[in-house]
Amino acid sequence: MTSARRAAVLGSPIRHSLSPVLHGAAYAALGLDGWHYDAHECDEAGLPGFVDALGPEWTGLSLTMPLKRVALEVADRISPLAAATGAANTLVLGPDGRFAENTDVIGIVAALREAGIARVGRAVVLGAGGTAQAALAALRELGTSDPLVLVRDPGRAGELRAAAERLGATPTVRASLTDPPAAAAELAGADVVISTLPAGAADALATAPWSPSTTVVDVIYAPWPTAFAAGAAAAGCTVVSGLAMLLHQAVAQVELMTGRTGPVDAMREALDAAVLARS
């Protein structure tokens, strides 16, 4: 019998989160009977107080929007990857304090490798938020440091540019998303396209002149498929949903919080069942 331990996912809104399904399945597969994983609504202002109130039974927190940047401010130690991306989606809690990590990068890399991508040449990223920063780090790990990043307002890409500099990446940032036909043309011939845009924001690019050799990652997973993903799939592209990224970043979190190898198959099965139940 394992001693009682607690973990949770925090964010706002949080009701839709599938993290409890993933982590709960992992605990069951690993025989961690006394471990519990919950979801808590928490905004940026509430994070410091929430973390300060946690007892010694807490082993970790998963952090989703809007907490990924402020998470660095409540950590005692920050991994080089989280520091470089400027965001953390994981706080590991223990005797040595709070350790911030970014497993979103691991999730993107693992999802692309699972889709057969070993190395990336030409890449395009849609959006400039925290997930786009993680995408820059993932693409660097897969061999490209100079992706094209399409945004609406380059003036709001300051965090992304700062992350790129810390990562040693040299992205080209263009305001093409204000002109969907121009943005669609930018996707032609890319090895990998990663959309980090909110649901519906990439729909206008669904009829891009896709190459069947392009692998398309859309971080959205509900509703699925998005018009963007469906358009790419219809053109013969390999399409990866946000569920693959969600799975693999959660596997890495489980390993950080439990010290055990993440049970990928059990977590995937539980995730697929939960998605089917919601459809």
Side-chain angles (χ1 to χ4, degrees), residues 4-262:
R5 303 302 299 273
R6 295 188 65 186
V9 59
L10 274 57
S12 183
I14 201 63
R15 185 173 57 182
H16 68 287
S17 178
L18 290 167
S19 291
V21 171
L22 286 160
H23 287 256
Y27 299 163
L30 293 171
L32 300 176
D33 300 329
W35 288 57
H36 302 280
Y37 187 101
D38 305 301
H40 294 275
E41 187 81 14
C42 182
D43 59 15
E44 292 170 292
L47 182 62
F50 186 98
V51 174
D52 287 344
L54 299 179
E57 74 278 12
W58 283 82
T59 187
L61 297 173
S62 306
L63 303 166
T64 187
M65 294 301 293
L67 303 177
K68 293 184 179 183
R69 287 177 177 148
V70 72
L72 300 181
E73 299 174 11
V74 300
D76 300 308
R77 295 178 295 122
I78 301 170
S79 77
L81 186 56
T85 57
N89 72 328
T90 309
L91 276 178
V92 182
L93 310 173
D96 296 332
R98 308 163 185 167
F99 173 65
E101 180 58 280
N102 188 321
T103 70
D104 283 337
V105 178
I106 297 169
I108 295 171
V109 170
L112 283 168
R113 286 182 172 155
E114 195 171 64
I117 300 297
R119 190 164 184 84
V120 177
R122 181 171 179 266
V124 181
V125 177
L126 308 180
T131 306
Q133 293 165 213
L136 290 185
L139 290 169
R140 183 194 62 169
E141 185 168 333
L142 291 168
T144 184
S145 296
D146 58 350
L148 176 62
V149 179
L150 305 185
V151 300
R152 288 191 175 278
D153 181 3
R156 299 181 63 184
E159 293 281 355
L160 180 130
R161 293 182 192 275
E165 185 173 351
R166 292 189 296 267
L167 289 163
T170 55
T172 299
V173 180
R174 293 183 188 159
S176 302
L177 291 183
T178 59
D179 183 355
E186 301 273 27
L187 307 185
D191 294 323
V192 170
V193 174
I194 302 175
S195 174
T196 69
L197 299 174
D203 286 0
L205 308 181
T207 57
W210 296 109
S211 167
S213 62
T214 299
T215 296
V216 177
V217 179
D218 190 341
V219 302
I220 299 299
Y221 56 81
W224 186 263
T226 62
F228 176 73
C237 299
T238 297
V239 176
V240 179
S241 87
L243 288 173
M245 174 183 165
L246 181 70
L247 168 66
H248 289 293
Q249 64 82 29
V251 169
Q253 288 183 333
V254 167
E255 293 178 350
L256 286 167
M257 295 179 192
T258 69
R260 306 274 293 276
T261 299

